[in-house]
Amino acid sequence: MSDPSRDRIERYYATVPLLFADAEDFGPLRLFVRREPGAPYYGGPGHAQPTAAGAASVGSADIARVRARQRELGVPEAFEWLAESAPALRARIEAAGLSVLRRPLMLLPPHHPLPPQPLPDGVTLRALTEDDPALPAALALPRLAFAQPPTPTAGASDRTELSRLAAELAEDGTVAAVRPTLRAGHKTLVAALAPDGTPLATGHYHPATGTTEIGGVGTLPSARRQGLAAAVTAALVGHARDHGVDTIFLAYAEETAARIYARLGFRPAGTTLLIAGQPARS
């Protein structure tokens, strides 16, 4: 990954949490603390100072202080950082007893054309507004798309479960919490919708400083192998570019996903490291 691209991605990781969180510094480390309810953010290096220099000075006591603060807040002991910017940090984090996962990154070249992708008959794409009737189900869909072990693939069963989860998210305040974020433009959520309005695939992005990470691209189990993930990804790219974003990247966990993104024009762009089991942020 070229230095300019890495710098943009690193700046994004340091900036986008500040839309939703306050920053607390612990020497060479920084912890983002949510101001409102939502999936918690991470600690990591290089947010208050250049990562390479900061990571070199990270000690076990610094890591312990961040973890103690996370326990005090009642949030997972999560860390996330760019591997290339802090090559020594993984060993220090693992020495502290935390398991680290590797997530390769892919970057879409700024001038690479990405036209809309084909959709099955009757399926439409839509960027959801705060009052969209599909919003609760779209927010619930990743719980089925990324479930481990995978959910059953029978259409009736996963649609029934999707409806149940959507009602649960409406009741527990999750949907209400997301609406202001959509209204302010801090988050864009795109869904591929069946003719009856059921979300079949979703994905989102949060823009900051002309850069964004596409995330949460997932498909309802019964709707897989129809090109929906590619169509949602292309729609997110188009929407982001139309709104002034020119650096677009993503992370992946499985090679099947990487092959989809490579066909769309994304290219390898370094690696992000994170703690095993830490919550996904959406």
Side-chain angles (χ1 to χ4, degrees), residues 54-262:
S57 62
V58 174
S60 59
D62 300 310
I63 296 168
R65 289 171 62 206
V66 174
R67 295 176 73 185
R69 177 60 172 147
Q70 289 169 322
R71 290 192 295 271
E72 178 185 350
L73 293 166
V75 300
E77 296 173 29
F79 291 81
E80 190 165 335
W81 70 99
L82 289 179
E84 292 78 12
S85 296
L89 185 59
R90 179 173 188 167
R92 293 188 171 99
I93 292 284
E94 290 180 330
L98 296 172
S99 297
V100 176
L101 295 180
R102 177 180 179 272
R103 291 289 181 264
L105 299 175
M106 301 183 80
L107 177 76
L108 187 67
H111 302 296
H112 182 86
L114 183 48
Q117 300 297 295
L119 289 165
D121 289 345
V123 175
T124 57
L125 287 168
R126 187 162 77 226
L128 304 186
T129 64
E130 59 182 301
D131 297 320
D132 198 299
L135 180 60
L139 294 175
L141 189 146
R143 298 195 182 189
L144 297 178
F146 304 119
Q148 294 296 332
T151 57
T153 56
S157 64
D158 65 13
R159 287 194 180 209
T160 299
E161 181 65 4
L162 184 65
S163 296
R164 187 191 69 79
L165 290 171
E168 184 179 290
L169 295 187
E171 184 175 344
D172 71 10
T174 298
V175 177
V178 169
R179 284 184 171 130
T181 306
L182 294 174
R183 182 169 61 248
H186 295 323
K187 174 175 182 167
T188 294
L189 176 62
V190 167
L193 302 163
D196 66 357
T198 300
L200 302 177
T202 60
H204 65 260
Y205 75 87
H206 297 278
T209 64
T211 301
T212 200
E213 179 179 18
I214 289 176
V217 178
T219 304
L220 201 65
S222 61
R224 289 173 179 160
R225 301 185 183 278
Q226 300 183 70
L228 296 178
V232 167
T233 301
L236 288 164
V237 168
H239 191 283
R241 284 176 165 173
D242 288 345
H243 289 79
V245 176
D246 55 15
T247 300
I248 301 172
F249 70 102
L250 47 77
Y252 67 89
E254 298 180 357
E255 288 301 322
T256 53
R259 289 193 288 271
I260 292 172
Y261 300 136

Side-chain angles (χ1 to χ4, degrees), residues 17-73:
L18 297 176
L19 298 172
F20 315 101
D22 295 320
E24 298 182 5
D25 291 325
F26 296 84
L29 297 178
R30 172 169 281 196
L31 174 64
F32 295 110
V33 179
R34 279 252 185 202
R35 291 186 291 266
E36 302 291 342
Y41 277 97
Y42 46 82
H47 304 306
Q49 56 186 293
T51 308
S57 62
V58 174
S60 59
D62 300 310
I63 296 168
R65 289 171 62 206
V66 174
R67 295 176 73 185
R69 177 60 172 147
Q70 289 169 322
R71 290 192 295 271
E72 178 185 350
L73 293 166

